[in-house]
Amino acid sequence: MNASRELKPKRLTSCQLIKGIETGSEDIEILPNGLAFISSGLKYPGIQSFAPDKRGEILLIDLNEQNPRPVELRISRGFDLASFNPHGMSTYIGDDDSVYLFVVNHPQYTSTVELFKYVEDDNSLVHLKTIKHELLGSVNDIVALSPDSFYATNDHYFTGLSLMFLEMFLGLSWTNVIYYSPKEVREVASGFYSANGINISPDGQYVYVADLMDHNIHVLQKHANFSLTPLKVLQLDTLIDNISVDPYTGDIWVGCHINGFKLFFYDPENLPGSEVLRIQDILSEKPTVSQVYVDDDGSVIQGSSVATVYGKKLLIGTVFHRALSCEL
């Protein structure tokens, strides 16, 4: 858990907290036009929540604005909003430019994947379907492959709270990646300590999986039948959460937890900090890993879970705290 790890602060010169986000920004997905979806309000076993009775929501901000303000997206009738508990997300743009939003949901601490269609005219989400499967037992993150298929990570083998913690402390490498389509559902990668963030290269040939507790990123080669084969592992000295990929450069941006003990055993007198890394040329023998931002003591932003870029803007999201916008 890197319980003794400390870092020196590394700030960017122009950063501001995004007003209106107070209870988490666990994952952020940015469309090519600068509209960004933010999942907020996650309640997760063993993790702090500043609003345990407030339902989760999907927020939208326009990064083309000077001081973007988040707007909650309306969700179509028939969807159970009261138990909405959003986690990882992924977008897919269809051939007709329709925007599909896949959201990992934990109603009553179970796992489902909710498929929405974004309607820009009235800033709403039309709920298309709820996806459940026995192989999708503890879903953390997701990457869309088509309007109805995806890869998803399971971050635990067990689903009961006590067994989940036992699994973590014993270091059991039993978590995996699942391929889902309406025609088939199967495991395509396994042997992770805690499979967390997942994303895909701009050319669609490689899949990246963050192993939170093993402090590394796995690079897997994607095949025509959607099977995955291990290619390499990049070891890092931090707890990697979500993975974002720059669609133009292929650079990988990750939100990281400096000290896992501070994250899982929250103490307002000893706050969890935030770290952002940029990884260039991950397929090369010596990828370039740059530490872009560090808030060592959580005085600005606590528990960073995602970092993603749009032009010269860097957005940093958190599991349960606020969100930060910086100029690079």
Side-chain angles (χ1 to χ4, degrees):
M1 296 179 75
N2 274 357
S4 60
R5 185 171 183 243
E6 302 288 343
L7 291 179
K8 293 181 180 179
K10 184 171 185 177
R11 315 283 189 187
L12 293 168
T13 54
S14 180
C15 291
Q16 59 183 7
L17 292 166
I18 299 175
K19 293 180 179 179
I21 298 178
E22 308 288 341
T23 59
S25 45
E26 203 281 335
D27 204 4
I28 302 172
E29 282 282 312
I30 304 176
L31 296 176
N33 62 4
L35 294 179
F37 299 101
I38 300 172
S39 63
S40 184
L42 174 66
K43 285 84 178 172
Y44 195 77
I47 296 293
Q48 172 71 14
S49 173
F50 291 133
D53 297 325
K54 182 184 177 183
R55 63 171 173 80
E57 55 191 359
I58 303 297
L59 305 174
L60 184 78
I61 61 172
D62 187 348
L63 297 176
N64 299 298
E65 297 176 358
Q66 188 66 30
N67 296 297
R69 296 291 298 265
V71 175
E72 181 184 357
L73 291 176
R74 289 189 305 105
I75 297 179
S76 58
R77 291 182 180 180
F79 179 71
D80 182 10
L81 270 176
S83 66
F84 192 35
N85 189 10
H87 199 167
M89 299 187 301
S90 183
T91 54
Y92 186 85
I93 300 175
D95 293 335
D96 60 353
D97 293 329
S98 294
V99 176
Y100 298 91
L101 180 67
F102 294 74
V103 181
V104 177
N105 185 22
H106 301 295
Q108 290 84 43
Y109 297 107
T110 61
S111 285
T112 64
V113 173
E114 309 296 344
L115 177 56
F116 300 98
K117 188 174 182 179
Y118 171 57
V119 181
E120 188 171 0
D121 291 343
D122 61 357
N123 272 350
S124 67
L125 294 172
V126 175
H127 184 244
L128 301 179
K129 63 178 174 177
T130 296
I131 297 166
K132 298 180 184 179
H133 194 275
E134 60 183 9
L135 292 181
L136 299 170
S138 182
V139 184
N140 185 297
D141 198 17
I142 188 170
V143 59
L145 302 171
S146 77
D148 58 5
S149 65
F150 54 83
Y151 292 123
T153 57
N154 283 307
D155 57 11
H156 289 89
Y157 177 83
F158 297 108
T159 54
L161 184 58
S162 58
L163 287 175
M164 285 169 66
F165 277 102
L166 182 64
E167 173 189 347
M168 185 173 70
F169 284 110
L170 290 178
L172 303 177
S173 298
W174 290 358
T175 69
N176 60 11
V177 176
I178 300 298
Y179 168 70
Y180 174 91
S181 77
K183 295 182 178 179
E184 65 168 335
V185 186
R186 57 189 164 96
E187 180 184 86
V188 288
S190 60
F192 306 98
Y193 185 175
S194 181
N196 197 290
I198 187 169
N199 217 316
I200 195 166
S201 61
D203 61 9
Q205 293 187 45
Y206 304 98
V207 171
Y208 311 123
V209 178
D211 193 326
L212 180 83
M213 301 300 291
D214 216 15
H215 310 163
N216 55 39
I217 295 175
H218 292 249
V219 180
L220 305 110
Q221 188 158 14
K222 175 178 165 288
H223 302 284
N225 65 353
F226 299 102
S227 63
L228 300 174
T229 54
L231 198 62
K232 66 180 293 185
V233 178
L234 178 63
Q235 200 66 38
L236 299 162
D237 187 29
T238 190
L239 281 74
I240 306 136
D241 204 317
N242 288 316
I243 296 176
S244 300
V245 179
D246 187 315
Y248 302 104
T249 66
D251 293 351
I252 293 172
W253 292 80
V254 287
C256 308
H257 304 289
I258 299 169
N259 183 318
F261 188 86
K262 292 182 181 181
L263 177 72
F264 289 106
F265 299 93
Y266 187 83
D267 178 356
E269 302 298 320
N270 191 21
L271 298 173
S274 295
E275 181 180 17
V276 172
L277 299 180
R278 177 189 187 187
I279 302 158
Q280 297 169 281
D281 302 317
I282 194 168
L283 295 174
S284 67
E285 287 188 15
K286 292 185 177 180
T288 302
V289 180
S290 308
Q291 192 182 61
V292 178
Y293 180 88
V294 176
D295 179 11
D296 58 317
D297 59 4
S299 57
V300 178
I301 191 166
Q302 304 172 30
S304 55
S305 55
V306 62
T308 186
V309 293
Y310 176 71
K312 292 295 182 180
K313 284 188 178 179
L314 168 66
L315 292 189
I316 306 172
T318 65
V319 183
F320 55 82
H321 193 226
R322 305 187 70 181
L324 194 68
S325 175
C326 300
E327 296 294 329
L328 293 170

